């Protein structure tokens, strides 16, 4: 299918309110430099809150706040090991979009 027909196919569909909200919140998440840095770090492997804070030179409270936002959008997930939570990305589509956007911006 050519690009024009694909765009017409997309435009013919109405977006329900819930989908519209989730899409806008996802772009909101990707519109924040700190959250982009966290997701970029989690693209490669899982980290604890302290590990993220150390790698990105952020306060633990800042990382926790941002992870809560990302977790609510199901962009990150965690697993518990003892008393430590390890975070990883939870949405391959968004991570691919983020990677493509970073690659695009890097081609300046």
């Amino acid at each position: 299918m050519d690009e024009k027909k694909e765009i017409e196919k997309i435009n013919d569909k109405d977006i329900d309110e819930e989908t519209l909200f989730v899409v806008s919140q996802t772009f909101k998440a990707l519109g924040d430099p700190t959250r982009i840095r966290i997701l970029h770090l989690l693209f490669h492997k899982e980290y604890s809150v302290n590990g993220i804070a150390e790698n990105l030179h952020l306060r633990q409270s800042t990382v926790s706040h941002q992870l809560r936002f990302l977790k609510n959008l199901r962009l990150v997930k965690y697993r518990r090991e003892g008393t430590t939570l390890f975070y990883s990305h939870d949405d391959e589509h968004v991570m691919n979009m983020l990677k493509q956007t970073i690659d695009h911006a890097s081609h300046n």
Side-chain angles (χ1 to χ4, degrees), residues 39-81:
L39 286 170
H40 185 257
L41 185 69
L42 295 178
F43 187 80
H44 303 287
K45 70 176 202 173
E46 66 179 14
Y47 286 89
S48 67
V49 173
N50 288 337
I52 295 169
E54 288 173 16
N55 274 278
L56 299 180
H57 308 289
L58 297 169
R59 294 189 347 234
Q60 182 180 348
S61 61
T62 300
V63 172
S64 294
H65 174 76
Q66 299 299 344
L67 286 170
R68 188 170 28 260
F69 184 90
L70 294 168
K71 187 169 74 69
N72 288 339
L73 288 172
R74 296 189 315 238
L75 298 179
V76 299
K77 61 185 175 183
Y78 67 88
R79 70 174 180 84
R80 183 179 300 276
E81 191 173 298

Side-chain angles (χ1 to χ4, degrees), residues 6-7 29 60 94:
E6 189 66 30
I7 291 171
Q60 182 180 348
V94 172

Side-chain angles (χ1 to χ4, degrees), residues 24-32 35-36 69-70 73 75:
S24 69
Q25 291 299 297
T26 301
F27 278 108
K28 180 179 177 181
L30 297 177
D32 180 88
R35 289 191 287 263
I36 291 171
F69 184 90
L70 294 168
L73 288 172
L75 298 179

